[in-house]
Amino acid sequence: MLSLTEKEVDFIAAQLLKGMVCFYQIDKKKIHFMPDDEDYFNYDLTPDEEDILDEIDAEPDNFAEFTKMEVPQEHQVMQDFIDRRVKERNLAEDLVNALTKPKSMTAFKFLIDESKYREDWAEYRKSKYQDWVKEQVDSFNYAEN
């Protein structure tokens, strides 16, 4: 059964938000992270990262993988933030409109970063990512049974 401390959950969530993928090595209780290939397909792995991937291939049951949210989940987090936190109607409308456009995450971030909600958004998103990490732990444990 996999269980993480709050500190580990926080660390993994922070890495996912930076575009990393994380692997928790169960026997050593160690977190490994590297850029997610989807975001960094031109990235050359370091020898250490290649060694970790070789270990994962050799012993997949000894590693739990943590990935970032899919785009629809990210959009839902943004929509929930707008619904729950943004009080100014004009800004809320602009944010909702940004979510309908190509590069919606960039447009949303630009609007949020220029508003008084910047820090509130960062905290909200991080807390949702911490919940996401815990959901992945639950899924891992459920799959192990």
Side-chain angles (χ1 to χ4, degrees):
M1 172 148 241
L2 175 62
S3 76
L4 301 177
T5 65
E6 283 301 316
K7 192 174 177 182
E8 289 170 326
V9 168
D10 190 51
F11 181 79
I12 292 171
Q15 294 307 312
L16 296 179
L17 284 165
K18 291 177 187 173
M20 300 289 166
V21 61
C22 294
F23 298 95
Y24 186 84
Q25 191 171 359
I26 297 166
D27 63 349
K28 295 182 179 170
K29 297 192 180 310
K30 186 172 181 188
I31 300 167
H32 304 281
F33 59 91
M34 61 191 70
D36 190 334
D37 341 351
E38 289 179 14
D39 293 339
Y40 298 91
F41 46 86
N42 290 331
Y43 176 81
D44 290 328
L45 293 174
T46 66
D48 286 346
E49 290 167 341
E50 288 186 16
D51 290 346
I52 292 163
L53 290 177
D54 289 344
E55 279 187 59
I56 293 166
D57 284 343
E59 289 184 87
D61 292 344
N62 190 33
F63 292 86
E65 181 178 3
F66 294 89
T67 59
K68 66 183 181 181
M69 291 181 189
E70 297 292 327
V71 171
Q73 292 167 292
E74 285 268 5
H75 270 228
Q76 189 59 55
V77 169
M78 290 182 236
Q79 185 64 56
D80 292 346
F81 178 79
I82 296 165
D83 295 344
R84 294 187 174 129
R85 303 283 175 92
V86 179
K87 302 296 181 224
E88 293 83 3
R89 204 177 72 159
N90 288 344
L91 178 60
E93 287 173 2
D94 288 347
L95 289 167
V96 168
N97 190 28
L99 293 180
T100 65
K101 300 213 178 327
K103 300 197 184 280
S104 57
M105 291 179 175
T106 304
F108 181 92
K109 183 178 178 345
F110 176 79
L111 290 168
I112 282 291
D113 285 352
E114 297 297 314
S115 76
K116 69 179 186 182
Y117 293 100
R118 183 176 181 200
E119 288 181 26
D120 194 20
W121 165 244
E123 288 174 26
Y124 184 84
R125 188 170 182 227
K126 188 169 185 185
S127 79
K128 292 300 176 189
Y129 257 87
Q130 290 165 337
D131 294 344
W132 173 241
V133 169
K134 291 173 186 173
E135 284 179 37
Q136 290 182 78
V137 168
D138 290 345
S139 294
F140 180 84
N141 286 332
Y142 182 77
E144 290 295 293
N145 291 334

